[in-house]
């Protein structure tokens, strides 16, 4: 939080993003924080990389946004967002597949100044029986609903990021098949 607040004050940031690292239950106890001596800062604005950042977050990777010990997630973790923007970017009431992506897509569009801090802020525990990793009989309907919603949203808000959404849909099809048919 201290790094985030410093970035908010120094760069007048609407959004500050830190790194995320995926870990399993077996790895969780052996992990120790590894504080970096120097932290790189990436500044992103509406005319300077915001479309590229959005495409990167949903799967169309760009070297500019690779971070040392993890990745930039598309969910609500490892972020500090200005309250006025967060209150206009609430999660939808339908809690299902990719609700993080929908939230992040709408929220990022409202941010004039985004700062990425190349430091690990969040360790994401991969739990094999979480909502998105277990079989759900309604999964095909959820997938269909969310895919259409994502495509419509990107056509409206992020027309320059359609390559990213196509990569995301392809990855979602793979995940859907893995969870529903295997």
């Amino acid at each position: 939080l201290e790094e985030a607040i410093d970035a908010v004050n120094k760069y007048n940031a609407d959004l500050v993003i830190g790194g995320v690292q995926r870990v399993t239950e077996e790895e969780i106890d052996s992990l120790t924080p590894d504080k970096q001596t120097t932290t790189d800062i990436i500044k992103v604005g509406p005319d300077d990389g915001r479309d590229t950042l959005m495409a990167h977050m949903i799967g169309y990777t760009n070297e500019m946004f690779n971070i040392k010990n993890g990745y930039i997630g598309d969910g609500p973790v490892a972020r500090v967002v200005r309250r006025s923007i967060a209150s206009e970017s609430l999660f939808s009431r339908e809690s299902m597949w990719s609700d993080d992506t929908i939230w992040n897509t709408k929220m990022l569009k409202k941010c004039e100044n985004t700062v990425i801090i190349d430091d690990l802020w969040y360790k994401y525990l991969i739990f094999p029986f979480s909502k998105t990793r277990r079989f759900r009989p309604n999964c095909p309907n959820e997938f269909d609903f969310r895919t259409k919603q994502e495509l419509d949203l990107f056509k409206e808000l992020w027309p320059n990021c359609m390559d990213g959404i196509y990569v995301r849909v392809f990855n979602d099809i793979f995940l859907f098949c893995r969870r529903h048919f295997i």
Side-chain angles (χ1 to χ4, degrees):
L1 283 174
E2 193 173 305
E3 282 181 315
I5 297 305
D6 288 346
V8 166
N9 293 331
K10 184 174 182 179
Y11 301 106
N12 193 31
D14 297 315
L15 172 66
V16 183
I17 303 172
V20 177
Q21 184 181 62
R22 289 186 175 163
V23 296
T24 63
E25 282 186 283
E26 294 79 33
E27 297 170 317
I28 199 79
D29 291 332
S30 64
L31 295 172
T32 57
D34 46 330
K35 188 67 180 150
Q36 300 173 11
T37 53
T38 60
T39 302
D40 294 330
I41 302 287
I42 303 167
K43 294 180 276 184
V44 180
D47 301 325
D48 187 25
R50 189 170 62 174
D51 287 352
T52 308
L53 173 60
M54 186 71 244
H56 176 84
M57 290 169 84
I58 58 172
Y60 195 70
T61 58
N62 185 299
E63 288 292 318
M64 176 178 159
F65 300 114
N66 287 344
I67 61 173
K68 294 178 190 114
N69 294 319
Y71 64 96
I72 297 170
D74 72 336
V77 299
R79 296 181 164 17
V80 171
V81 62
R82 193 171 299 278
R83 177 182 279 206
S84 59
I85 292 172
S87 65
E88 294 174 5
S89 308
L90 302 176
F91 276 84
S92 65
R93 293 203 183 267
E94 316 100 14
S95 177
M96 62 176 75
W97 190 304
S98 290
D99 49 356
D100 293 352
T101 303
I102 300 298
W103 169 80
N104 205 51
T105 301
K106 293 177 180 179
M107 186 265 313
L108 184 59
K109 194 64 175 183
K110 296 173 182 162
C111 295
E112 292 294 317
N113 296 309
T114 299
V115 172
I116 298 165
I117 297 180
D118 190 0
D119 199 2
L120 185 60
W121 284 4
Y122 188 85
K123 297 200 183 220
Y124 174 71
L125 178 61
I126 299 171
F127 186 66
F129 300 106
S130 70
K131 181 176 116 180
T132 57
R133 296 188 185 280
R134 69 176 185 256
F135 175 80
R136 296 182 322 275
N138 198 32
C139 191
N141 294 335
E142 290 179 25
F143 175 78
D144 185 49
F145 174 78
R146 272 301 186 227
T147 301
K148 181 176 180 347
Q149 191 177 32
E150 286 176 358
L151 286 169
D152 290 346
L153 191 58
F154 270 76
K155 285 177 187 171
E156 176 190 343
L157 297 179
W158 298 97
N160 296 333
C161 298
M162 291 310 290
D163 287 345
I165 197 64
Y166 296 143
V167 168
R168 174 59 177 249
V169 169
F170 176 80
N171 289 335
D172 284 351
I173 289 169
F174 174 76
L175 289 172
F176 166 73
C177 291
R178 191 173 82 190
R179 286 174 181 77
H180 195 70
F181 296 115
I182 295 178

